[in-house]
Amino acid sequence: MDIHIWINRAFLVWISYVWMPIMVVNGKGANDSFVARPKEVNIGALFTLNSAIGSSAKPALLAAIDEVNSDPSILMGTKLNLILHDTNCSGFLGTIEALQLIERDVVAAIGPQSSGIAHVISHVVNELHVPLLSFGATDPTLSALQYSYFLRTTVSDYFQMHAIADILEYFRWREIVAIYVDDDYGRNGISVLGDALAKNRAKISYKAAFTPKASRSDINDLLVGVNLVESRVYVVHVNPDSGLKIFSVAKSLGMMAAGYVWITTDWLPSVLDPRGSVDSETMDLIKGVVTLRHHTPDSDLKRRFTSLWKNLKNKQTPNFNSYALYAYDSVWLLARALDVFFSEGGNITFSEDPGLRDTNRSALNLTSLHVFDQGQKLLNILLTMNLTGLTGPIQFDPEKNLIHPSYDILNIVGTQMNMIGYWSNYSHLSTVAPELLYTKPPNISASNQHLHKVIWPGEIIENPRGWVFPNNGKPLRIAVPNRVTYKEFLSKDKGPSGVKGYCIDVFEAAVNLLPYAVPHTYILYGDGTRNPLFNNLVSDVSQNNYDAAVGDITITTNRTRIVDFTQPYMESGLVVVVPVKEAKSNPWAFLKPFTWQMWCVTAAFFLFVGAVVWILEHRMNHEFRGPPRQQLMTIFWFSFSTMFFAHRENTVSTLGRLVLILWLFVVLIINSSYTASLTSILTVQQLTSRVQGIDSLIASSDPIGVQDGSFAFNYLIDELNIAQSRLRILKSQDDYLNALNNGPNRGGVAAIVDELPYIELFLVNTKCTFRIVGQEFTKSGWGFVFQRDSPLAVDLSTAILQLSENGDLQRIHDKWLSRDGCSSQSNPVDENRLSLNSFWGLFLICGVACFIALVVFFWRLCGQYRRFNTPGEEQVIQEPQLSQQSSRPNLRRNSFKNLIDFADKKEHEIKEILKRKSSDQKRAPSQSSDGQPSSSP
């Protein structure tokens, strides 16, 4: 029985290994989708073998091919045949090599390392449907949809340039110089860097490009020009094979000293890493340089590859760079994809391209190029792969970029490359490895960006300023308004500088505080016949017609959009100045301290309080009794005598004294306020004008004067909606004087709107004939103008603050502008009049106190009246019931009169009556029980 079982099993094994493959080949299998795997698959490799990248990539590729071919679990016996071609760093030769490579019917190509060659070859592989896996072409534009068969297996320079932009933002550098090789790799990388910097309001101030095979003299000329610009932050984006030449020339020119900043892309570690130990002479060239390197996490796979590298026979360098790891992973990625391709029934077949049949009798054998029929399927499989390699996770996002791009940030110190941090698109700058941050929520806030300390060129630890004033013999071109009015601020001068004034002295004092020299020359702006338009001046600075502008230039929102201002060195704001007349003396001035409402309420309260006190004192104070006429006179006398605390009547009741104390307090406050207000009215000069401020000026239809060239002209039109026809341009102080004196009825203006510093000077010059009315209705200041993102604006702002702190700014102000000032505002009578709003609280308290006192008084009065009006006990017993009922209507009719009579009686009389009545009531019951004789039956 067992023998038969073993025979059946052996037969099934023979069928599966012999008969089934025959049936598949002949197309007679049960499952037509199953295809036998080929014994060998051609793949190509295309890069410069003897380059800094190629010397590391070649051994890694060959090692990966050997491992794949020796692993039976990956391709099930199918061998990868690597066809290697050298591009020799030439776009032309690289294209020819690519055509020769694809002629060998390769299913995919690995490489090239050059972005320029990749651009050309991508057109070829697109036509022939051959996936191109590049481990070294980092040009960001290769990710375009145009190159559908190009697949980058390394990190795009798009992320590297954003990493550099974040480093520059971290150190707060706003302008840089880009030094790059003038090819597709260099140009496109720097273009992305410019876009990344723009997001942080930084920019590339100078682009220094050189040819790929530039000589040392060409580089020397290039760096001499670079050293003439003000920025000292250099980003070097070149090919690895020519990069060190730049630092050799920079060292000879003294550009590796303190104050310079050099940042390189990943080409520098690509040169240094394969060498293992670098000679001290080379490292001395790049001391203080900050560079980036592809971040590859530590793993067992990476450590195994490091051990493998030491035993490789065909290696050209003692160590490897990151591109070797990406080349190694590219082979494994392709091998895994081919395994999936075959498992899904993929078949490797090629067909002729109809577009290559007609060669126009050319000797080029283009018909030997074939289209890979399943190239799109293999490409789709590659894009969906998810595996882990030496460089970490290998997976592509929708834009065909590797996920989790990250870089090491290194600092060249001595003979070492010190790690100062990492960059990833997940959390940007960090001192923690990116793979540890992926488990936490992303945080790219400014407070979360960290790097270790950097040792810069010249072995300094303090972060360089990043720019210096260029020593190129070109002084700063400073535009100065050629003013016609208010020459104390700015005016033409015969001295060496050509200008003088308050603004010039402030600028010179600030420049003298800078730690570096600022050569500059002043250029008058304007024809001298009228004030220039300051908006045009600011616009000319923004358009690089001038480097800066110094003068009485107001900082406004529209101007800050196109230029940078320094810290304000003088506060300013728009005010209204008007002609005023002195108010004539008035015999009724003593009534002006209070408004008429205040007078009425005060008089009413005097009478009210007098009446209340009379009510409270009438029953117990003989001074408040007497004939009606006398009592009425007493109320009036007492009421108004309290105004001067001259009342002779004394209060004896508790409630009366309480009311009087509160009222005397109110009178004290009223008297004090009246005295102060009347003193102000009679002693301060009173001025009158129809215009009381900007609100009344807007409401009127009178013409308004505006200084020629001032921003107030547009402000009144755009912000306050004042008709342009109402505005009058005034070109000189004489125009100011005549326009205000003539007034609107004689062709002048009702008021002038101008900035406070000008108006203060104008008032002094006219001996305080005019006055400012209302308050400043804008708040701004004067500042110096510089081109956008100029670092000089920041340094001068610091210098201006220092001038303010040490008192120099005030001393300069006193030198040019300090004179006897005028009262800045008129003092209208109405503003000094006291209204009811200021005293209603006091009146309320007094009124409430009077009300409470009256309530208590009448409550006691009513209680006494009830006791007084209660009949005796004996009357209730003896009177018949009917007589008692008939007397009640008469009592009700007489009750009010009786109450009035009762209230008019003296307090001590009422108390005596109530006391006697109480005694009578106590005796009545005693007499009825003991004093009356008893009757006999």
Side-chain angles (χ1 to χ4, degrees):
M1 192 70 181
D2 293 337
I3 295 176
H4 290 290
I5 293 175
W6 282 107
I7 292 175
N8 290 335
R9 289 181 178 178
F11 179 75
L12 291 175
V13 170
W14 179 80
I15 289 295
S16 62
Y17 279 93
V18 179
W19 183 76
M20 286 297 294
I22 295 176
M23 294 298 292
V24 169
V25 173
N26 293 332
K28 297 179 181 179
N31 186 0
D32 293 338
S33 63
F34 182 81
V35 179
R37 298 188 179 217
K39 294 183 179 180
E40 187 175 272
V41 175
N42 291 335
I43 63 172
L46 193 68
F47 54 91
T48 303
L49 302 181
N50 295 324
S51 63
I53 294 178
S55 59
S56 290
K58 179 182 176 182
L61 281 172
L62 296 177
I65 291 293
D66 290 341
E67 288 186 4
V68 169
N69 288 336
S70 61
D71 189 348
S73 64
I74 178 65
L75 286 175
M76 302 297 183
T78 300
K79 301 296 182 181
L80 294 181
N81 180 31
L82 181 65
I83 304 174
L84 197 60
H85 281 249
D86 190 356
T87 60
N88 294 308
C89 288
S90 170
F92 175 71
L93 294 178
T95 303
I96 295 177
E97 293 292 335
L99 294 174
Q100 293 177 351
L101 177 65
I102 296 177
E103 192 179 30
R104 303 282 295 273
D105 290 343
V106 296
V107 297
I110 298 176
Q113 70 188 61
S114 169
S115 297
I117 298 175
H119 276 280
V120 179
I121 298 177
S122 293
H123 293 286
V124 178
V125 297
N126 280 359
E127 181 68 22
L128 301 179
H129 299 178
V130 177
L132 179 64
L133 282 66
S134 178
F135 60 85
T138 56
D139 179 1
T141 62
L142 288 169
S143 299
L145 297 176
Q146 176 186 5
Y147 307 113
S148 56
Y149 279 85
F150 177 85
L151 185 62
R152 196 194 322 267
T153 56
T154 186
V155 180
S156 170
D157 277 342
Y158 172 87
F159 302 102
Q160 182 169 211
M161 296 307 169
H162 279 75
I164 293 177
D166 286 342
I167 294 174
L168 297 172
E169 173 69 14
Y170 178 80
F171 292 107
R172 301 186 183 280
W173 293 317
R174 297 300 180 191
E175 292 190 11
I176 69 158
V177 174
I179 303 173
Y180 62 98
V181 60
D182 196 8
D183 58 8
D184 292 332
Y185 162 74
R187 285 191 302 271
N188 295 331
I190 294 301
S191 176
V192 173
L193 176 60
D195 295 339
L197 291 174
K199 296 179 180 179
N200 299 331
R201 287 195 62 189
K203 66 177 181 179
I204 301 175
S205 60
Y206 186 77
K207 292 183 178 181
F210 60 90
T211 60
K213 296 182 179 181
S215 63
R216 184 181 178 88
S217 62
D218 293 336
I219 295 177
N220 184 84
D221 295 339
L222 181 75
L223 293 185
V224 168
V226 165
N227 203 32
L228 295 179
V229 300
E230 63 184 17
S231 177
R232 286 293 181 264
V233 181
Y234 305 137
V235 175
V236 184
H237 183 53
V238 298
N239 294 319
D241 301 295
S242 60
L244 290 177
K245 190 187 299 183
I246 293 175
F247 288 102
S248 176
V249 176
K251 182 77 173 180
S252 64
L253 294 175
M255 298 175 66
M256 298 300 297
Y260 289 85
V261 177
W262 292 85
I263 301 175
T264 76
T265 51
D266 63 333
W267 64 266
L268 184 56
S270 300
V271 175
L272 301 180
D273 285 341
R275 299 184 181 183
S277 61
V278 184
D279 59 280
S280 59
E281 182 178 353
T282 300
M283 297 300 289
D284 187 59
L285 296 177
I286 54 177
K287 280 184 179 180
V289 174
V290 173
T291 185
L292 275 70
R293 177 176 63 193
H294 296 115
H295 174 72
T296 54
D298 291 332
S299 62
D300 293 337
L301 290 175
K302 186 176 177 180
R303 286 188 285 271
R304 186 182 65 83
F305 179 79
T306 302
S307 301
L308 175 65
W309 184 272
K310 296 178 182 179
N311 300 322
L312 291 179
K313 297 180 180 180
N314 55 353
K315 65 180 180 182
Q316 301 177 13
T317 57
N319 211 333
F320 57 87
N321 55 33
S322 59
Y323 288 99
L325 303 178
Y326 286 110
Y328 181 90
D329 284 348
S330 298
V331 173
W332 275 98
L333 172 65
L334 180 59
R336 297 287 186 186
L338 285 172
D339 187 52
V340 175
F341 175 79
F342 292 134
S343 299
E344 295 179 355
N347 187 19
I348 298 177
T349 59
F350 295 88
S351 60
E352 293 185 356
D353 187 350
L356 300 177
R357 291 179 182 177
D358 187 6
T359 60
N360 294 325
R361 300 180 180 179
S362 172
L364 296 174
N365 187 21
L366 298 180
T367 56
S368 61
L369 301 176
H370 301 105
V371 176
F372 179 27
D373 296 330
Q374 285 78 36
Q376 183 63 51
K377 181 177 181 180
L378 179 59
L379 177 65
N380 293 337
I381 294 174
L382 286 167
L383 292 174
T384 57
M385 293 299 295
N386 184 2
L387 64 150
T388 300
L390 301 181
T391 58
I394 303 176
Q395 187 178 353
F396 298 96
D397 62 20
E399 296 181 356
K400 298 195 298 185
N401 291 313
L402 287 175
I403 63 171
H404 300 324
S406 55
Y407 290 89
D408 299 333
I409 304 176
L410 310 172
N411 180 212
I412 310 299
V413 180
T415 58
Q416 298 179 344
M417 291 189 292
N418 290 346
M419 183 80 70
I420 61 172
Y422 306 90
W423 181 92
S424 68
N425 69 330
Y426 189 77
S427 294
H428 292 193
L429 300 179
S430 173
T431 54
V432 180
E435 56 269 18
L436 301 178
L437 297 175
Y438 296 146
T439 59
K440 303 177 182 179
N443 187 351
I444 59 174
S445 62
S447 60
N448 197 52
Q449 305 299 293
H450 302 288
L451 289 176
H452 294 302
K453 283 291 184 180
V454 180
I455 299 178
W456 303 102
E459 298 184 351
I460 61 172
I461 300 177
E462 183 180 358
N463 296 333
R465 186 171 62 247
W467 76 282
V468 295
F469 194 82
N471 186 19
N472 56 5
K474 295 181 180 180
L476 205 65
R477 301 166 299 164
I478 300 178
V480 177
N482 190 5
R483 293 197 60 89
V484 177
T485 57
Y486 306 114
K487 293 188 176 182
E488 290 85 350
F489 296 107
L490 281 170
S491 64
K492 186 178 180 181
D493 186 44
K494 296 181 180 180
S497 63
V499 289
K500 65 179 181 178
Y502 167 75
C503 300
I504 298 299
D505 282 5
V506 173
F507 180 76
E508 291 290 345
V511 168
N512 291 335
L513 292 177
L514 298 179
Y516 48 88
V518 182
H520 56 276
T521 180
Y522 296 112
I523 303 172
L524 288 173
Y525 187 88
D527 55 12
T529 60
R530 59 179 298 183
N531 292 336
L533 295 176
F534 284 72
N535 284 338
N536 294 345
L537 173 59
V538 173
S539 179
D540 285 345
V541 173
S542 68
Q543 295 173 9
N544 200 27
N545 295 330
Y546 302 97
D547 297 315
V550 171
D552 47 339
I553 304 172
T554 305
I555 303 172
T556 64
T557 303
N558 290 334
R559 293 172 182 175
T560 56
R561 293 191 177 105
I562 58 176
V563 295
D564 279 349
F565 281 89
T566 62
Q567 173 80 15
Y569 62 90
M570 174 173 274
E571 297 298 325
S572 180
L574 292 179
V575 294
V576 179
V577 62
V578 298
V580 291
K581 297 180 181 180
E582 184 175 352
K584 296 181 180 180
S585 178
N586 190 341
W588 300 99
F590 68 90
L591 295 176
K592 293 180 179 178
F594 289 162
T595 61
W596 67 269
Q597 296 93 337
M598 180 65 182
W599 279 117
C600 293
V601 172
T602 303
F605 256 83
F606 271 107
L607 296 175
F608 173 69
V609 171
V612 171
V613 173
W614 177 83
I615 293 173
L616 298 176
E617 295 289 325
H618 176 71
R619 302 184 66 207
M620 61 181 61
N621 192 339
H622 69 277
E623 294 182 357
F624 288 87
R625 299 185 67 83
R629 181 179 179 182
Q630 180 182 346
Q631 295 185 49
L632 185 62
M633 291 302 296
T634 300
I635 292 174
F636 277 94
W637 165 254
F638 180 83
S639 298
F640 292 103
S641 62
T642 56
M643 178 184 297
F644 311 102
F645 305 96
H647 53 284
R648 65 173 182 269
E649 294 81 6
N650 294 320
T651 54
V652 296
S653 68
T654 303
L655 294 177
R657 289 175 177 177
L658 175 63
V659 170
L660 185 59
I661 288 174
L662 288 175
W663 174 242
L664 290 178
F665 175 74
V666 174
V667 171
L668 176 64
I669 300 299
I670 293 176
N671 280 341
S672 301
S673 302
Y674 176 85
T675 303
S677 179
L678 183 60
T679 302
S680 175
I681 291 173
L682 295 179
T683 58
V684 178
Q685 184 184 31
Q686 300 299 325
L687 304 172
T688 60
S689 172
R690 292 187 304 168
V691 178
Q692 301 299 329
I694 187 62
D695 293 331
S696 60
L697 187 61
I698 294 174
S700 70
S701 59
D702 295 333
I704 304 170
V706 181
Q707 183 185 173
D708 188 19
S710 173
F711 83 99
F713 184 85
N714 292 330
Y715 181 85
L716 294 176
I717 297 173
D718 299 336
E719 302 297 332
L720 302 184
N721 298 320
I722 294 177
Q724 184 175 346
S725 59
R726 293 180 57 191
L727 303 183
R728 305 288 186 268
I729 302 298
L730 305 178
K731 299 181 180 179
S732 66
Q733 290 192 46
D734 291 337
D735 291 345
Y736 275 47
L737 188 60
N738 295 332
L740 288 174
N741 287 332
N742 292 335
N745 297 329
R746 293 188 296 170
V749 297
I752 292 176
V753 175
D754 207 346
E755 295 183 71
L756 183 60
Y758 301 130
I759 295 303
E760 288 179 340
L761 197 56
F762 170 71
L763 295 180
V764 171
N765 292 339
T766 57
K767 299 181 180 179
C768 305
T769 308
F770 308 98
R771 287 292 183 270
I772 296 173
V773 294
Q775 302 292 329
E776 291 183 61
F777 55 93
T778 64
K779 290 291 184 180
S780 58
W782 292 352
F784 302 130
V785 181
F786 289 89
Q787 294 179 10
R788 194 76 172 185
D789 299 323
S790 171
L792 192 59
V794 178
D795 289 353
L796 273 178
S797 294
T798 304
I800 290 172
L801 290 176
Q802 188 175 347
L803 287 176
S804 178
E805 292 171 357
N806 61 25
D808 289 343
L809 195 60
Q810 185 61 42
R811 283 189 284 272
I812 297 173
H813 181 277
D814 295 342
K815 172 186 174 182
W816 289 96
L817 307 175
S818 178
R819 298 181 185 177
D820 294 334
C822 301
S823 177
S824 61
Q825 291 194 12
S826 61
N827 189 22
V829 176
D830 290 342
E831 292 183 3
N832 290 329
R833 301 188 70 180
L834 300 174
S835 66
L836 187 60
N837 291 333
S838 303
F839 300 94
W840 70 267
L842 288 173
F843 288 131
L844 178 63
I845 294 173
C846 185
V848 170
C850 291
F851 176 77
I852 293 175
L854 289 176
V855 169
V856 173
F857 173 78
F858 283 112
W859 178 76
R860 290 177 55 198
L861 180 65
C862 291
Q864 289 178 346
Y865 180 71
R866 270 198 314 272
R867 291 169 56 196
F868 176 81
N869 205 32
T870 302
E873 187 72 22
E874 65 280 3
Q875 293 176 340
V876 175
I877 298 173
Q878 295 175 1
E879 290 179 354
Q881 185 72 17
L882 183 61
S883 299
Q884 193 176 28
Q885 292 179 355
S886 62
S887 64
R888 285 179 182 175
N890 295 329
L891 290 174
R892 289 172 181 172
R893 285 194 296 267
N894 298 326
S895 62
F896 182 74
K897 181 177 181 301
N898 295 337
L899 178 62
I900 297 299
D901 293 339
F902 178 81
D904 189 53
K905 293 181 182 294
K906 293 183 179 181
E907 181 76 13
H908 69 276
E909 294 177 357
I910 296 299
K911 290 183 177 179
E912 287 294 331
I913 294 173
L914 293 177
K915 183 177 181 181
R916 190 168 54 250
K917 192 172 184 178
S918 177
S919 299
D920 294 342
Q921 288 177 354
K922 290 180 179 179
R923 287 196 302 268
S926 174
Q927 292 177 357
S928 62
S929 59
D930 299 328
Q932 297 292 336
S934 57
S935 57
S936 58

